Amino acid sequence: MKEFVYTAPATRVVFGKGAIKHVRNEIELLGVHKALVLCTPRQSAAAERVASAMGDRAAGIFAQAEMHVPIEIAQEAREIARQLGADCAVAFGGGSTIGLGKAIALDSGLPILAIPTTYAGSEMTPIFGITEKGLKRTGKDPRVLPRTVIYDPDLTLTLPIGLTITSGMNAIAHAVEGLYARDGNPIMDLMAEEGIRSIARALPALKHSADDAVARSDALYGAWLCGTVLGNVGMSLHHKLCHTLGGSFGLPHAEVHTIVLPHAIAYNACAIPGALVRIERALKTDNAATSVYDLARSNGAPYSLRQLGMVEADLDKAADLAVANPYWNPRPVERSGLRALLQRAWDGTRPE
Ligand code: NAD
């Protein structure tokens, strides 16, 4: 076995159908008094219910979370938390809302209790992103890692089916890259394989019936595992491409992950035999790249960058940006291979 370093994740996780009922108790266990609930405008009615479960521990609701965490919104939320005397933030929603919580924590030190309602996994990572003057700055800081996470599958029942599938694929992408991370370790490998298995089982069931309680639970459990992997080991080419396509071309996060992943796996396949064994065992297949493509496409997800409205002429620029400052990758990243990968992702070709 190769040498490894393993640091146990520091977040308390409370998982279960109806687990939101523990929110007040969990706030008290953090040793804080009042929490500001964060959410997007779209989730404000559900956030009201979270606040009422918090009783007198709720300081108020800030329902203006947005994609990419604009710094002005983070500053406003921080100021409102101060005015209301909140000493904790409850981030209720997907990666955008949890990102807002992280931006508040970064310079106020307020602890975050996260209640994720998508499968993006931000709640399990110390990674933050803040957009200032049109530029997204990202970094890692242990202060932004939520102290407690409540996973309640009932809160994901309202997640539209399209986002359910792409968000699940986004989670699978974290696990796939974790399996060939340079700083990987055997615990993350176990979590990654189980995360892929659990989500891959859940997605077709949810496509069939979006309120299947067992599948919602499987998907959220898988999201926790995959998010933990994302928070603990380094990501490679796939994440670099997705950050480039999302950041420089404004393409939607979960959809881009869904489209690029099979092509990133195919690109790396010759260099990742151990990871392929685990991915293929989890997917019950002998071809990881095609199975990932089929899992997404057969459940109605977009499968080409063209469908997202990306202009073909931008593929050269995307390839230039992605090779300019590459993340470590198991197979060396060279421009012509990357350009061909992007072309296949744009065309939506099924990998062989
Ligand atoms: P999102 O948070 O942007 O949510 C998308 C939309 O779905 C929002 O309008 C939201 O209100 C709505 N929504 C979420 N859950 C819902 C539910 N259960 N029912 C109904 N509507 C719901 O999407 P996301 O994919 O979770 O997050 C993407 C963002 O998170 C990106 O900006 C990405 O960079 C970031 N992210 C960060 C990390 C990290 O570690 N820092 C990890 C993953 C993602």
Side-chain angles (χ1 to χ4, degrees), residues 1 31 34 48 50 57 69 83 96 110 116 125 149 163 172 188 227 245 297 332 334:
M1 178 174 284
K34 276 193 186 298
E48 296 276 357
V50 171
R57 297 289 177 185
V69 194
Q83 284 169 11
S96 298
L110 288 196
T125 85
V149 178
L163 188 52
I172 288 178
M188 289 305 129
L245 293 167
R297 188 167 175 176
E334 37 86 22

Side-chain angles (χ1 to χ4, degrees), residues 39-44 46 65-69 92-99 102 116-129 136 138-139 144 153-160 163 166-167 170 174 216 227 230-231 239 243 253-255 257:
C39 65
T40 60
R42 187 164 145 188
Q43 288 182 280
S44 57
E66 271 185 26
M67 260 191 19
H68 305 309
V69 194
F92 169 72
S96 298
T97 303
I98 293 167
K102 289 176 166 182
T117 61
T118 70
Y119 309 129
S122 176
E123 67 282 357
M124 294 309 298
T125 85
I127 306 162
F128 64 87
K136 191 161 178 180
T138 57
V144 309
D154 284 350
L155 301 173
T156 62
L157 289 170
T158 49
L159 191 63
L163 188 52
T166 54
S167 193
N170 181 195
H174 307 327
R216 283 287 176 199
L230 174 68
H239 279 72
H243 292 159
H253 178 81
E255 287 87 338
H257 273 274

Side-chain angles (χ1 to χ4, degrees), residues 110-312:
L110 288 196
I112 307 171
L113 186 154
I115 308 173
T117 61
T118 70
Y119 309 129
S122 176
E123 67 282 357
M124 294 309 298
T125 85
I127 306 162
F128 64 87
I130 301 175
T131 302
E132 195 170 359
K133 296 191 181 115
L135 278 183
K136 191 161 178 180
R137 171 171 64 96
T138 57
K140 255 187 175 183
D141 192 308
R143 281 175 304 176
V144 309
L145 183 70
R147 297 263 297 277
T148 302
V149 178
I150 298 180
Y151 285 106
D152 183 342
D154 284 350
L155 301 173
T156 62
L157 289 170
T158 49
L159 191 63
I161 189 60
L163 188 52
T164 295
I165 305 298
T166 54
S167 193
M169 297 306 299
N170 181 195
I172 288 178
H174 307 327
V176 164
E177 293 237 280
L179 284 169
Y180 49 72
R182 189 168 39 166
D183 55 353
N185 66 64
I187 298 290
M188 289 305 129
D189 288 353
L190 292 171
M191 294 182 99
E193 182 177 338
E194 174 68 357
I196 296 169
R197 181 177 297 114
S198 195
I199 292 178
R201 184 172 59 223
L203 295 186
L206 290 171
K207 176 69 180 166
H208 181 254
S209 170
D211 56 3
D212 179 328
V214 173
R216 283 287 176 199
S217 184
D218 281 348
L220 199 57
Y221 166 65
W224 165 54
L225 296 171
C226 296
T228 304
V229 174
L230 174 68
N232 281 271
V233 300
M235 297 288 114
S236 303
L237 175 66
H238 168 78
H239 279 72
K240 174 69 190 182
L241 282 172
C242 293
H243 292 159
T244 304
L245 293 167
S248 301
F249 302 95
L251 300 180
H253 178 81
E255 287 87 338
V256 168
H257 273 274
T258 303
I259 293 164
V260 171
L261 184 61
H263 305 288
I265 296 174
Y267 181 90
N268 279 331
C270 59
I272 55 165
L276 289 182
V277 169
R278 285 190 180 272
I279 300 166
E280 288 168 0
R281 192 161 55 206
L283 295 175
K284 300 192 179 73
T285 176
D286 57 6
N287 188 325
T290 49
S291 289
V292 165
Y293 179 93
D294 293 345
L295 178 64
R297 188 167 175 176
S298 65
N299 287 297
Y303 53 90
S304 72
L305 295 174
R306 183 207 315 240
Q307 287 170 296
L308 300 188
M310 186 179 185
V311 182
E312 190 172 14

